Amino acid sequence: MFVDVILPLAISTLYTYEVPDDLVDGIKIGVRVEVPIKNKLYSGIVYKISAAINTDRKPRKINSILDTHPIILQENLNLWTWMSGYYCCTLGEVMQAALPASLKLESETKLTAGEVDYTEVELSDAAFLIGEALSLRDYLTIAEVQEILNKKSIYPVLRELMEASVVKVEEELIEKYNPKIVKAVRWSQDFQHEDAQIEALDAVKRSKKQVNALLALSELKNTTQNITITWLCEFAQVERSVVKELEKKGIVEIYDYVESRLTSFEKIEDDQSPLTSSQQMVFNDIQAAHASNTPLLLKGVTGSGKTRVYIETIKHCIKQGKQVLYLLPEIALTSQMVDRIKSVFGQDMLVYHSKFSNAERVEVWQETLKGRPLIVGARSSIFLPFSNLGLIVVDEEHDGSYKQYDPAPRYHARDVAVMLTHLYKCKILLGSATPSVESFHNALEGKYVLTTLPNRFNDVLMPDIELLDTTKERKANRMKDIFSLKMLNAIEETLKNKEQVIVFQNRRGFAPVIQCQDCGWAAQCTNCDVKLTFHKYFNELRCHYCGYRAKLPEKCPDCGGINLHDVGLGTEKIEQLLQSHFTEARIVRLDYDTTRTKTAYESIINDFSNHKYDILVGTQMVTKGFDFEKVTLVCIPLADALLYQPGYKTTERAFQIMTQVAGRAGRRIKQGKVLIQVSRSDNPVFDEVKFQKYDQFFDREIRERADFNYPPFIKMIHLQLKHKDAIYLDNAAKMYEKRLRTHLGNGVSVPITPSVSRVKNMYLKDLIIKIKSDTKIIAKTKYVILKEKENLFLIDNVKGLRINIDVDPI
């Protein structure tokens, strides 16, 4: 028997292995197997089983089978295969993205004592030190050797030891996931009955602590199946030694049990209000669309009650015995949504996102396989092994966070979710207040069913949006710092009314540039062609591309002048300016810098929701579906900056962001107010936001896309070439373009230098390919891209080049 195995490596072919006779009975598609490749060991996924192979080369044998049952289902493998082909990547790269890290094992190099004693040969001081360490240990890992020698480069020392036969090198596959084992306590077999327990209490009556421990055990045994020693000791207020004494007397026994690392959600009595007539009509539309197996797009204004419709649809699916995947763009930023859903579904629900530890991810994976009804997760949850998937809900389907940029596969979770519906024969519901142009176009073309919620829940008024022309305001001397007097007065009035304000700025840090006013020098990243952003909170300069950090200089490095000034504004500076204007206000910032820990975002959101702060300053994080009762004012002081981004989706993103952040205002009884400061009020997108004219925005945007040949009217593929030498890269890009043009014609652009031309010491060149939305043409194009990439790497002078392929860039 032979198996084709997927390995978590970027290799274009599957490796074939022979199955030893003693392992044949345990081999199944979807299980992990331990296999050798070169000098290492990996865990791979069995992709195919064959009785024979078409090759004269004898394959190596698998070492062992790691799973009793498949951890990957056939639907998962079908999805991986489709993603590999559609996104022009390898199955190994898809496996890397799909599996939790603890399920992807690779061997660890271990050094063990060799045939020759280290004292019998002449060795360098470093090699002698390692030999001495090995005499005291069974083995050493590479990391331990590096630590002993206090250096990273240890291979000359290893070579010396191996040549002298002092050490042997072995590879061992390391299991990364271990279940959480907890010590628990229970009555021993002889004390299961109440009479025996009374006798036990009488036997230990001289020890008040032992009596308290046994009384606590009796009280707790009806509340849970497993009583941990820690819990018992805390409840009875005794030391662990007391429990040990009771064990010695044979009254209790201590045992191990596996405890889940996953949060247990408590279901609150389902007090969901009945669906409104509008919501009921939408729910009926969803059922009708699902009966015809057509995707449905729900376009509902902010605050219209889309989540209530989602919940009813999810309930309907779970009642049919099916599983549901509820996708959110950034799970870490939507704790309010998670809280609301878990109160309805309780133990039926699990959460899956990047903030989880690797062990927690494995346990969610296992629970999904067992059939847990509802998974709420970010984009990576599309890879979970659903055994009976019936429905996918994609909330905020327009959000760019669904797109994976690096590494491959560079997939869009919404599009993959649509493909999942074909593989699982399940239903899909897409929802947004500002649908993506592609999804709305699909609805108008009849590919999706469109249904709408045009009004807010309980007929709450949409916010009043006002544009403030900063050019006119500045001429009339009605500006302070970056704020117009009208915006400052509105914030002051809101604070007086004991209400809350959100201020949006889509750039973190204090200032994007630190510049010398005397010579023009600006702080530049050493690894990237970008200016360093000043972060006042950390008092340092940081690169948002590579993570490089530098101290803020006291003098200009070029001219020695001290006239250094910050240029531009980030969320930190806006927070500081607001504090100077409103000294009594409690201000908090929500951005990447303030939400790095697992619970930081929840803390900020909950505190703001409970009115511990008056003003929330934030980046795009504040647009993510929050529902704050007392927010009645939203301010966007620098709206023009949203239009200064590269890409054909700039206007669409600007419209979506402004509409979404405006939707945080006035979601209860009082009508909200939104103030947007602009210096170019003639741009039509601002009027479209002001008057909530999505249809008008869409009509203008779709005409422009048709005129300039952009999606959804064509397919786009973005190729990015990287190399450490700019001239070498330029020649390689021209060579690749020429090869592609031979097959694809004028659909291939000339090499383009992006706005950020160097990142992490790698120079960049872009090639854009536009092709017709025809299945055969698309397939041919992808084949040519991969084939010519392969041919390019066969040329002798093409070394160190990287080519990233992004299908459907956004």
Side-chain angles (χ1 to χ4, degrees):
M1 183 183 284
F2 302 93
V3 289
D4 289 345
V5 175
I6 307 173
L7 297 166
L9 304 169
I11 48 180
S12 57
T13 57
L14 300 180
Y15 277 64
T16 301
Y17 292 87
E18 185 179 349
V19 182
D21 293 341
D22 60 323
L23 298 179
V24 166
D25 291 341
I27 208 75
K28 301 180 186 75
I29 289 175
V31 298
R32 291 176 304 159
V33 290
E34 178 186 336
V35 294
I37 177 169
K38 296 186 178 178
N39 295 321
K40 289 187 74 70
L41 300 173
Y42 286 92
S43 65
I45 297 289
V46 175
Y47 182 77
K48 182 182 177 184
I49 301 174
S50 309
I53 52 172
N54 297 321
T55 177
D56 295 332
R57 186 177 177 183
K58 185 171 176 60
R60 300 172 78 175
K61 294 184 178 182
I62 65 171
N63 292 350
S64 64
I65 301 171
L66 302 177
D67 305 302
T68 307
H69 304 286
I71 65 162
I72 296 293
L73 304 178
Q74 188 60 55
E75 289 87 352
N76 295 101
L77 292 176
N78 293 343
L79 178 68
W80 292 12
T81 304
W82 175 81
M83 289 184 72
S84 172
Y86 188 85
Y87 291 107
C88 297
C89 61
T90 66
L91 274 169
E93 288 171 313
V94 181
M95 177 183 172
Q96 273 284 24
L99 284 184
S102 294
L103 294 179
K104 297 174 296 198
L105 313 180
E106 66 178 88
S107 60
E108 184 174 55
T109 303
K110 290 186 174 182
L111 305 183
T112 56
E115 298 169 0
V116 178
D117 191 283
Y118 73 101
T119 59
E120 297 176 359
V121 291
E122 189 174 334
L123 297 171
S124 65
D125 290 343
F128 187 87
L129 191 61
I130 299 304
E132 189 173 38
L134 262 180
S135 69
L136 305 172
R137 302 271 299 274
D138 291 335
Y139 66 86
L140 291 173
T141 66
I142 294 295
E144 288 169 339
V145 173
Q146 290 172 326
E147 188 177 346
I148 291 169
L149 298 180
N150 195 24
K151 59 170 71 173
K152 285 187 176 181
S153 181
I154 60 168
Y155 291 101
V157 178
L158 295 186
R159 193 183 309 115
E160 180 185 353
L161 289 164
M162 290 167 67
E163 288 174 354
S165 298
V166 172
V167 301
K168 293 186 294 186
V169 176
E170 300 175 354
E171 292 289 324
E172 182 181 340
L173 200 65
I174 306 298
E175 179 64 63
K176 297 179 184 177
Y177 169 74
N178 290 304
K180 184 179 179 182
I181 306 297
V182 178
K183 295 285 185 186
V185 60
R186 62 192 173 200
W187 291 98
S188 62
Q189 194 62 39
D190 294 337
F191 292 90
Q192 293 294 313
H193 299 293
E194 190 174 333
D195 292 342
Q197 292 169 11
I198 292 171
E199 289 178 14
L201 283 166
D202 189 55
V204 301
K205 62 184 178 183
R206 292 186 178 183
S207 171
K208 185 178 179 181
K209 289 185 177 181
Q210 290 184 21
V211 169
N212 288 343
L214 291 180
L215 288 172
L217 185 62
S218 295
E219 190 170 342
L220 291 174
K221 72 175 182 178
N222 296 323
T223 62
T224 183
Q225 189 176 355
N226 297 294
I227 302 166
T228 66
I229 293 180
T230 303
W231 188 15
L232 179 67
C233 291
E234 287 178 2
F235 192 82
Q237 296 185 333
V238 298
E239 300 79 26
R240 296 176 77 92
S241 58
V242 174
V243 182
K244 289 284 187 183
E245 282 298 318
L246 290 170
E247 184 190 28
K248 285 180 183 177
K249 292 177 179 179
I251 298 172
V252 302
E253 60 182 20
I254 296 171
Y255 64 99
D256 293 339
Y257 84 98
V258 177
E259 183 178 78
S260 172
R261 294 180 173 90
L262 305 178
T263 303
S264 179
F265 297 127
E266 182 180 349
K267 182 177 180 179
I268 300 171
E269 187 66 29
D270 188 0
D271 60 351
Q272 298 289 314
S273 58
L275 296 179
T276 64
S277 57
S278 298
Q279 290 173 335
Q280 186 63 53
M281 288 175 64
V282 167
F283 179 76
N284 294 341
D285 288 345
I286 293 169
Q287 300 312 311
H290 287 173
S292 63
N293 292 317
T294 309
L296 183 133
L297 175 65
L298 169 55
K299 178 181 174 290
V301 297
T302 54
S304 60
K306 293 187 293 295
T307 305
R308 179 70 186 87
V309 176
Y310 297 154
I311 288 173
E312 203 63 30
T313 309
I314 292 168
K315 279 184 183 179
H316 184 265
C317 186
I318 290 176
K319 280 180 183 177
Q320 295 174 332
K322 300 282 189 177
Q323 289 178 290
V324 178
L325 170 60
Y326 188 159
L327 281 174
L328 290 165
E330 290 182 70
I331 196 74
L333 308 176
T334 47
S335 60
Q336 282 187 332
M337 184 74 72
V338 170
D339 287 343
R340 180 173 176 185
I341 297 170
K342 75 185 181 187
S343 70
V344 177
F345 295 99
Q347 295 281 11
D348 285 345
M349 169 186 157
L350 285 176
V351 178
Y352 189 75
H353 61 78
S354 59
K355 297 280 186 181
F356 274 19
S357 68
N358 285 323
E360 287 173 315
R361 290 193 199 189
V362 172
E363 293 188 10
V364 175
W365 192 275
Q366 292 169 341
E367 287 296 313
T368 307
L369 265 174
K370 292 175 185 176
R372 189 71 72 104
L374 174 59
I375 307 294
V376 179
R379 63 173 181 253
S380 59
S381 56
I382 60 164
F383 294 114
L384 287 168
F386 295 95
S387 56
N388 191 18
L389 187 61
L391 172 68
I392 304 174
V393 177
V394 185
D395 197 8
E396 308 294 357
E397 65 84 29
H398 69 277
D399 200 291
S401 301
Y402 284 125
K403 175 71 174 179
Q404 161 83 9
Y405 291 99
D406 275 310
R410 295 171 179 84
Y411 66 95
H412 197 297
R414 178 200 61 215
D415 299 340
V416 176
V418 173
M419 173 52 62
L420 268 180
T421 64
H422 297 292
L423 297 176
Y424 278 95
K425 303 293 187 289
C426 66
K427 321 300 182 186
I428 189 165
L429 168 58
L430 312 171
S432 175
T434 53
S436 63
V437 168
E438 291 83 0
S439 291
F440 200 70
H441 182 259
N442 282 338
L444 296 184
E445 291 288 302
K447 294 179 182 177
Y448 297 168
V449 171
L450 177 66
T451 187
T452 62
L453 282 170
N455 300 311
R456 281 187 158 183
F457 183 71
N458 278 343
D459 294 323
V460 173
L461 293 174
M462 293 295 291
D464 175 30
I465 301 175
E466 184 176 353
L467 302 178
L468 302 175
D469 191 324
T470 54
T471 304
K472 293 179 181 177
E473 295 294 298
R474 196 164 274 109
K475 285 179 181 178
N477 200 27
R478 292 196 294 265
M479 295 288 292
K480 281 191 177 181
D481 303 318
I482 62 161
F483 302 107
S484 65
L485 290 178
K486 187 160 189 173
M487 185 172 281
L488 290 174
N489 291 337
I491 295 173
E492 185 176 10
E493 183 68 23
T494 303
L495 297 179
K496 279 183 182 177
N497 293 335
K498 306 296 183 185
E499 294 162 353
Q500 292 175 296
V501 183
I502 289 178
V503 179
F504 170 77
Q505 165 63 354
N506 204 29
R507 185 185 287 273
R508 64 187 173 99
F510 188 81
V513 180
I514 294 294
Q515 192 170 40
C516 175
Q517 299 297 295
D518 297 328
C519 71
W521 170 88
Q524 187 89 13
C525 177
T526 58
N527 307 317
C528 313
D529 282 341
V530 292
K531 304 291 191 293
L532 292 173
T533 299
F534 175 46
H535 287 253
K536 192 170 185 178
Y537 181 81
F538 302 103
N539 196 35
E540 64 183 10
L541 301 168
R542 291 185 173 186
C543 175
H544 292 173
Y545 285 84
C546 71
Y548 171 78
R549 300 179 182 186
K551 289 184 177 180
L552 182 69
E554 295 180 3
K555 297 179 181 179
C556 173
D558 278 8
C559 70
I562 58 171
N563 199 13
L564 297 177
H565 285 273
D566 52 82
V567 180
L569 297 105
T571 48
E572 275 189 89
K573 190 169 184 179
I574 287 182
E575 180 187 16
Q576 178 181 293
L577 291 173
L578 286 168
Q579 199 71 73
S580 68
H581 287 295
F582 307 101
T583 54
E584 300 298 317
R586 298 164 299 174
I587 303 174
V588 68
R589 182 161 44 90
L590 185 71
D591 57 24
Y592 181 75
D593 295 326
T594 61
T595 57
R596 293 186 178 229
T597 64
K598 188 174 181 179
T599 58
Y601 67 91
E602 286 183 2
S603 176
I604 293 171
I605 292 164
N606 289 336
D607 286 348
F608 186 69
S609 186
N610 294 325
H611 208 162
K612 292 183 180 179
Y613 296 101
D614 305 306
I615 301 175
L616 176 66
V617 180
T619 56
Q620 282 191 57
M621 292 184 176
V622 301
T623 71
K624 309 287 182 177
F626 293 127
D627 187 0
F628 299 119
E629 183 179 351
K630 299 215 170 176
V631 171
T632 56
L633 177 65
V634 166
C635 299
I636 307 177
L638 298 165
D640 300 276
L642 294 170
L643 298 172
Y644 299 153
Q645 307 298 321
Y648 74 95
K649 279 182 168 278
T650 297
T651 306
E652 179 184 358
R653 276 195 285 262
F655 176 86
Q656 289 165 341
I657 288 172
M658 286 188 283
T659 302
Q660 290 286 343
V661 73
R664 303 312 109 205
R667 294 171 67 96
R668 290 296 190 272
I669 300 172
K670 183 176 179 179
Q671 184 182 20
K673 181 77 176 174
V674 180
L675 297 177
I676 302 176
Q677 291 186 168
V678 298
S679 61
R680 292 187 55 195
S681 56
D682 57 331
N683 193 306
V685 75
F686 293 124
D687 265 346
E688 290 156 1
V689 171
K690 173 180 169 63
F691 296 108
Q692 302 284 291
K693 294 181 178 178
Y694 177 86
D695 290 346
Q696 184 175 311
F697 152 76
F698 175 82
D699 290 342
R700 178 181 55 78
E701 185 73 12
I702 205 73
R703 284 198 306 272
E704 289 181 5
R705 301 243 187 129
D707 291 342
F708 294 100
N709 209 24
Y710 279 111
F713 299 101
I714 54 96
K715 273 281 183 184
M716 273 180 63
I717 300 177
H718 172 214
L719 308 175
Q720 186 164 82
L721 289 76
K722 302 181 178 184
H723 198 273
K724 60 185 178 182
D725 185 288
I727 296 173
Y728 183 97
L729 175 67
D730 191 50
N731 292 333
K734 289 176 181 176
M735 195 184 308
Y736 194 30
E737 175 218 349
K738 185 178 179 181
R739 287 171 167 270
L740 292 174
R741 276 183 183 272
T742 303
H743 303 280
L744 305 177
N746 294 329
V748 182
S749 74
V750 297
I752 304 162
T753 302
S755 54
V756 178
S757 60
R758 183 173 61 101
V759 174
K760 297 180 181 178
N761 285 320
M762 299 286 280
Y763 290 92
L764 310 177
K765 283 285 184 181
D766 292 341
L767 289 171
I768 304 296
I769 299 177
K770 292 182 178 181
I771 48 179
K772 289 181 181 179
S773 294
D774 178 275
T775 306
K776 290 183 179 179
I777 295 174
I778 294 169
K780 176 194 171 184
T781 302
K782 291 175 181 177
Y783 173 80
V784 168
I785 289 169
L786 293 172
K787 189 65 179 176
E788 291 304 333
K789 174 184 175 181
E790 187 180 313
N791 291 338
L792 192 65
F793 288 138
L794 293 175
I795 300 172
D796 289 340
N797 63 344
V798 177
K799 303 292 181 187
L801 180 70
R802 297 184 199 170
I803 301 177
N804 291 340
I805 304 170
D806 186 4
V807 178
D808 301 333
I810 65 169

